[in-house]
Amino acid sequence: MKNEKIVFFDIDGTIYDFEKKIPKSTKRAIFELQNRGIVTAIATGRAPFMFKDLREELNIHTYVSFNGQYVVHNNEVVYKNPLNKKALFHLTKQALACEHPIIFQNEETMKTESIEHPHVIEGIKSLRIKDFPSNDHVQAFHQENDIYQALLFYTEDQNMNYPEMYPDFKFVRWHPCSVDVLPSDGSKANGIKQLLKLLNLNVEQSYAFGDGLNDREMLSYVGQGIAMGNAEEETKKVASWVTKPVDQEGIVFGLEKAGLL
């Protein structure tokens, strides 16, 4: 494993362009990395069931999902970090009292009591996925199963103090209407750390591409963290450097500059 390298790709705004499509140049570049023996992996906030088709299309079977809480190598689960059930119960109770919808996700599905709430509809539609949360047996679902991530729906201007009230959790905004709810120690960086340990790779052998606020820890942690040209300004600040936007062959340009292509 001494000379092996691994490249992590975020999905939205990184692999997917603004139309949620994979640029042809990105697809060719990923296949070329694989031909060169470089490990290709996905690091996303999405649940595994949300990007199954993408994994098959790109022949990628190693991934960090739920922003680091559920890590898979060659289709085998190697790390799990679920949300604290007791704290999640209390957060849910308060959120629903404030009329803030919450979606619970495990590796196979997602459920919510608020399937008709406009924020839920808007947020899920923005992901351009086939799946929509169901509302059957919601309470039993989040109390009896490991939940790796929740989506809490409220806008920034509502100035909620959820982070202060629930120190067991980290709240990361991914949409104007919604935040990811993660374990307080959860991040893509932590998921990557677990995988590198398993593969016996040094952090210097790792590279990552991302654009969102949830990519900041990842880009700071890996050997070379490359922000997309369309990335959030806060994300660009912590990156090793910035490549071109996703729709201007940003992945190819970034891989070439990193010396991987």
Side-chain angles (χ1 to χ4, degrees), residues 177-244:
C177 296
S178 183
V179 297
D180 291 324
V181 182
L182 311 171
S184 58
D185 63 347
S187 69
K188 290 185 182 182
N190 184 50
I192 288 172
K193 183 179 180 182
Q194 306 302 323
L195 187 57
L196 294 181
K197 194 186 302 180
L198 174 81
L199 298 178
N200 196 26
L201 294 175
N202 296 323
V203 71
E204 291 77 19
Q205 295 169 271
S206 63
Y207 302 72
F209 288 78
D211 70 304
L213 295 176
N214 62 335
D215 293 318
R216 288 175 296 176
E217 292 99 336
M218 170 175 78
L219 298 188
S220 299
Y221 175 72
V222 295
Q224 284 192 41
I226 303 157
M228 304 301 292
N230 48 277
E232 299 278 355
E233 287 306 313
E234 292 300 311
T235 303
K236 290 179 180 178
K237 287 178 185 176
V238 302
S240 303
W241 45 275
V242 181
T243 185
K244 295 178 180 179

Side-chain angles (χ1 to χ4, degrees), residues 20 46 51 57-58 67 80 83-84 87 97 106 121 128 153 174 242 245:
K20 301 296 182 191
R46 290 180 178 233
F51 61 102
E57 185 174 355
L58 295 178
N67 287 305
K80 297 180 181 182
L83 295 169
N84 179 289
N106 71 0
I121 294 170
R128 305 271 186 101
F153 291 81
W174 66 276
V242 181

